[in-house]
Amino acid sequence: MACGLPSTLTAQNTGGQDAQQAGQDTKNAAKDTGSAVKKGSTKTYHATKEATTKAVDKTKEGTTKAANKTKEGTTKGYDKTKEGVEHAVNPKGVQASKQNDAVKESHQKANDNEKESTQKLKDSRPQ
Protein backbone atom coordinates (compact mmCIF):
# COMPACT_ATOMS: atom_id res chain seq x y z
CA MET A 1 0.00 0.00 0.00
CA ALA A 2 2.85 2.31 0.63
CA CYS A 3 3.80 2.09 -3.01
CA GLY A 4 0.29 2.89 -4.25
CA LEU A 5 -0.16 6.02 -2.16
CA PRO A 6 2.46 8.25 -3.78
CA SER A 7 1.25 7.43 -7.28
CA THR A 8 -2.29 8.40 -6.28
CA LEU A 9 -1.06 11.73 -4.91
CA THR A 10 0.89 12.36 -8.07
CA ALA A 11 -2.17 11.67 -10.20
CA GLN A 12 -4.25 14.04 -8.09
CA ASN A 13 -1.65 16.78 -8.38
CA THR A 14 -1.50 16.34 -12.13
CA GLY A 15 -5.29 16.45 -12.34
CA GLY A 16 -5.37 19.65 -10.34
CA GLN A 17 -2.67 21.17 -12.51
CA ASP A 18 -4.57 20.14 -15.64
CA ALA A 19 -7.72 21.75 -14.31
CA GLN A 20 -5.81 24.88 -13.40
CA GLN A 21 -4.18 24.99 -16.86
CA ALA A 22 -7.58 24.49 -18.51
CA GLY A 23 -8.95 27.37 -16.45
CA GLN A 24 -6.02 29.54 -17.46
CA ASP A 25 -6.51 28.59 -21.14
CA THR A 26 -10.21 29.46 -20.90
CA LYS A 27 -9.36 32.79 -19.26
CA ASN A 28 -6.85 33.61 -22.02
CA ALA A 29 -9.32 32.64 -24.74
CA ALA A 30 -11.97 34.87 -23.17
CA LYS A 31 -9.48 37.78 -23.09
CA ASP A 32 -8.58 37.19 -26.74
CA THR A 33 -12.25 37.08 -27.70
CA GLY A 34 -12.96 40.27 -25.76
CA SER A 35 -10.04 42.01 -27.46
CA ALA A 36 -11.22 40.89 -30.90
CA VAL A 37 -14.76 42.10 -30.21
CA LYS A 38 -13.44 45.44 -28.95
CA LYS A 39 -11.21 45.83 -32.01
CA GLY A 40 -14.07 44.94 -34.37
CA SER A 41 -16.45 47.30 -32.60
CA THR A 42 -13.91 50.12 -32.76
CA LYS A 43 -13.37 49.56 -36.49
CA THR A 44 -17.11 49.49 -37.09
CA TYR A 45 -17.59 52.68 -35.07
CA HIS A 46 -14.92 54.54 -37.03
CA ALA A 47 -16.21 53.28 -40.39
CA THR A 48 -19.76 54.30 -39.47
CA LYS A 49 -18.59 57.70 -38.28
CA GLU A 50 -16.65 58.28 -41.51
CA ALA A 51 -19.57 57.19 -43.70
CA THR A 52 -21.97 59.39 -41.75
CA THR A 53 -19.65 62.38 -42.05
CA LYS A 54 -19.38 61.85 -45.81
CA ALA A 55 -23.16 61.58 -46.11
CA VAL A 56 -23.64 64.78 -44.11
CA ASP A 57 -21.09 66.59 -46.28
CA LYS A 58 -22.74 65.41 -49.51
CA THR A 59 -26.16 66.42 -48.21
CA LYS A 60 -24.81 69.84 -47.26
CA GLU A 61 -23.25 70.17 -50.71
CA GLY A 62 -26.48 69.18 -52.45
CA THR A 63 -28.52 71.54 -50.32
CA THR A 64 -26.15 74.41 -51.07
CA LYS A 65 -26.29 73.71 -54.80
CA ALA A 66 -30.08 73.46 -54.75
CA ALA A 67 -30.39 76.73 -52.85
CA ASN A 68 -28.05 78.45 -55.29
CA LYS A 69 -29.99 77.13 -58.30
CA THR A 70 -33.28 78.25 -56.76
CA LYS A 71 -31.82 81.68 -56.09
CA GLU A 72 -30.53 81.91 -59.68
CA GLY A 73 -33.89 80.85 -61.09
CA THR A 74 -35.74 83.35 -58.95
CA THR A 75 -33.35 86.13 -59.96
CA LYS A 76 -33.72 85.28 -63.64
CA GLY A 77 -37.52 85.24 -63.32
CA TYR A 78 -37.46 88.58 -61.56
CA ASP A 79 -35.15 90.03 -64.21
CA LYS A 80 -37.40 88.82 -67.06
CA THR A 81 -40.44 90.33 -65.40
CA LYS A 82 -38.59 93.59 -64.85
CA GLU A 83 -37.48 93.61 -68.51
CA GLY A 84 -41.05 93.08 -69.64
CA VAL A 85 -42.26 96.01 -67.56
CA GLU A 86 -39.39 98.20 -68.71
CA HIS A 87 -40.05 97.27 -72.33
CA ALA A 88 -43.59 98.48 -71.94
CA VAL A 89 -42.57 101.65 -70.11
CA ASN A 90 -39.19 102.53 -71.64
CA PRO A 91 -38.16 100.37 -74.62
CA LYS A 92 -34.72 102.02 -74.82
CA GLY A 93 -33.85 101.05 -71.25
CA VAL A 94 -34.23 97.29 -71.85
CA GLN A 95 -30.73 96.74 -73.24
CA ALA A 96 -29.04 98.54 -70.34
CA SER A 97 -31.18 96.56 -67.91
CA LYS A 98 -30.18 93.27 -69.58
CA GLN A 99 -26.50 94.17 -69.29
CA ASN A 100 -26.84 95.12 -65.64
CA ASP A 101 -28.73 91.90 -64.93
CA ALA A 102 -26.07 89.81 -66.71
CA VAL A 103 -23.31 91.40 -64.63
CA LYS A 104 -25.31 90.89 -61.43
CA GLU A 105 -25.97 87.22 -62.30
CA SER A 106 -22.32 86.52 -63.11
CA HIS A 107 -21.27 88.04 -59.76
CA GLN A 108 -23.93 85.97 -58.02
CA LYS A 109 -22.70 82.75 -59.70
CA ALA A 110 -19.09 83.54 -58.82
CA ASN A 111 -20.09 84.16 -55.21
CA ASP A 112 -22.09 80.90 -55.09
CA ASN A 113 -19.18 78.92 -56.57
CA GLU A 114 -16.84 80.41 -53.99
CA LYS A 115 -19.24 79.44 -51.19
CA GLU A 116 -19.46 75.88 -52.53
CA SER A 117 -15.67 75.61 -52.78
CA THR A 118 -15.25 76.92 -49.25
CA GLN A 119 -17.85 74.44 -47.98
CA LYS A 120 -16.11 71.53 -49.75
CA LEU A 121 -12.79 72.60 -48.25
CA LYS A 122 -14.31 72.74 -44.74
CA ASP A 123 -15.94 69.35 -45.24
CA SER A 124 -12.70 67.75 -46.40
CA ARG A 125 -10.88 68.62 -43.17
CA PRO A 126 -10.90 65.98 -40.43
CA GLN A 127 -13.15 66.82 -37.54
Side-chain angles (χ1 to χ4, degrees):
M1 192 152 266
C3 289
L5 188 57
S7 65
T8 307
L9 289 174
T10 304
Q12 287 177 349
N13 284 344
T14 303
Q17 288 173 345
D18 288 347
Q20 184 178 6
Q21 184 62 43
Q24 190 65 35
D25 290 345
T26 302
K27 179 181 170 185
N28 290 339
K31 282 183 181 179
D32 291 344
T33 302
S35 295
V37 168
K38 180 180 178 186
K39 185 177 180 181
S41 296
T42 302
K43 281 185 175 181
T44 302
Y45 165 78
H46 289 296
T48 302
K49 181 180 175 186
E50 184 178 334
T52 302
T53 301
K54 283 182 182 179
V56 166
D57 292 346
K58 288 295 181 184
T59 301
K60 236 190 298 188
E61 236 175 79
T63 303
T64 301
K65 284 183 180 181
N68 291 343
K69 291 293 181 185
T70 301
K71 185 169 59 173
E72 287 173 22
T74 302
T75 301
K76 284 182 182 180
Y78 170 79
D79 291 343
K80 291 290 182 186
T81 303
K82 186 175 73 172
E83 287 171 17
V85 171
E86 285 178 354
H87 185 67
V89 175
N90 181 10
K92 293 180 184 177
V94 173
Q95 188 60 32
S97 179
K98 282 184 181 182
Q99 289 173 344
N100 289 340
D101 292 344
V103 169
K104 183 175 70 175
E105 286 177 21
S106 69
H107 286 198
Q108 183 179 2
K109 281 184 183 181
N111 190 22
D112 290 346
N113 288 337
E114 184 179 338
K115 282 182 187 177
E116 287 178 24
S117 297
T118 302
Q119 187 65 51
K120 284 181 184 179
L121 182 64
K122 285 180 184 177
D123 291 344
S124 68
R125 292 183 184 148
Q127 299 192 14

